[in-house]
Amino acid sequence: QKEVEQDPGPLSVPEGAIVSLNCTYSNSAFQYFMWYRQYSRKGPELLMYTYSSGNKEDGRFTAQVDKSSKYISLFIRDSQPSDSATYLCAMRKGGNNRLAFGKGNQVVVIP
Amino acid sequence: EAQVTQNPRYLITVTGKKLTVTCSQNMNHEYMSWYRQDPGLGLRQIYYSMNVEVTDKGDVPEGYKVSRKEKRNFPLILESPSPNQTSLYFCASSPTQTSWWGDTQYFGPGTRLTVL
């Protein structure tokens, strides 16, 4: 079983829709959970960062972590064409810089 | 401007011809890392460095070498490249090696390598 599972299937949504992305993981030692956004021909950039279970909001973005189910989610409200990118989940243990990544979800927001 | 830079951004080479991809960061970060990104496989760590002169293998180190002689630089060396090393490579840095809190990794722009 892979450490981090993320369904890489491309996702196309109309502008203004809610985008829902998720990852599951197998290692209960993971404590820090991140979502990176990667535009075409660019390096990943940190979008959301959460510690332990719960929700975190930042503008149109909400990150959720459910440690009991080993499941994390990213929601994008009122999606815009500029949100078209690949979204990668990542996570790590405490005191350890090694990041375990999901495969990434390509999201296309259609005007 | 705080950033991670990589050079070259694009490289086409032939099997067996040694090459080096440079990585430099200007944020005084201790931790640096190299990843490769392949379709269907995602980002996989090749090597990482906790500080100067301290390096260790990641998940896919075969065929690669690294060195960390200065804090800001972390070059990736392919002594004898092969076609299966054709990939998109990213360097990343992080502000601390053992922070218990919210450090994260800053990625460079990527180097697209093709080995013929």
Side-chain angles (χ1 to χ4, degrees):
Chain A
Q1 183 183 12
K2 286 191 177 297
E3 271 190 311
V4 182
E5 300 273 8
Q6 182 179 10
D7 183 355
L11 186 64
S12 291
V13 299
E15 183 175 354
I18 295 175
V19 176
S20 173
L21 306 170
N22 58 75
C23 291
T24 59
Y25 62 96
S26 58
N27 192 337
S28 58
F30 287 137
Q31 295 190 29
Y32 299 89
F33 305 92
M34 288 140 270
W35 287 94
Y36 281 81
R37 178 175 61 194
Q38 185 178 17
Y39 290 116
S40 181
R41 296 188 179 86
K42 300 283 188 183
E45 57 178 347
L46 183 68
L47 185 63
M48 296 289 285
Y49 185 102
T50 54
Y51 169 66
S52 197
S53 287
N55 290 2
K56 183 176 182 179
E57 269 194 37
D58 185 0
R60 297 183 294 109
F61 299 89
T62 300
Q64 284 186 352
V65 174
D66 182 348
K67 291 190 75 179
S68 62
S69 302
K70 297 191 181 68
Y71 187 91
I72 69 171
S73 301
L74 177 71
F75 299 97
I76 308 173
R77 292 183 299 280
D78 186 24
S79 57
Q80 304 294 309
S82 59
D83 295 326
S84 297
T86 296
Y87 292 82
L88 304 110
C89 64
M91 49 200 75
R92 70 175 180 88
K93 304 173 190 176
N96 185 325
N97 289 68
R98 177 185 172 271
L99 289 177
F101 282 90
K103 292 181 180 179
N105 266 124
Q106 185 181 5
V107 172
V108 176
V109 181
I110 302 166
Chain B
E1 181 191 353
Q3 59 183 354
V4 178
T5 56
Q6 295 178 226
N7 282 293
R9 294 289 313 279
Y10 302 91
L11 180 60
I12 300 174
T13 189
V14 296
T15 298
K17 186 176 181 182
K18 180 179 179 179
L19 65 93
T20 299
V21 184
T22 64
C23 172
S24 182
Q25 50 92 6
N26 62 1
M27 295 169 279
N28 202 36
H29 288 170
E30 291 94 352
Y31 184 91
M32 297 186 74
S33 181
W34 275 103
Y35 296 88
R36 60 178 290 174
Q37 187 175 36
D38 302 288
L41 296 175
L43 274 165
R44 296 178 292 168
Q45 191 179 51
I46 302 170
Y47 268 95
Y48 64 94
S49 169
M50 303 284 268
N51 214 323
V52 176
E53 302 291 2
V54 181
T55 63
D56 209 346
K57 297 176 181 178
D59 300 318
V60 288
E62 295 78 21
Y64 304 94
K65 285 177 57 177
V66 293
S67 69
R68 187 91 181 273
K69 298 190 187 309
E70 305 167 279
K71 199 171 187 179
R72 62 183 293 127
N73 296 324
F74 190 44
L76 179 70
I77 303 155
L78 285 72
E79 296 263 355
S80 183
S82 62
N84 64 12
Q85 293 178 298
T86 293
S87 187
L88 180 58
Y89 291 87
F90 289 102
C91 180
S93 73
S94 183
T96 178
Q97 59 178 328
T98 57
S99 169
W100 199 253
W101 276 109
D103 57 274
T104 185
Q105 293 188 29
Y106 298 84
F107 284 81
T111 295
R112 185 165 293 280
L113 173 66
T114 301
V115 183
L116 302 174

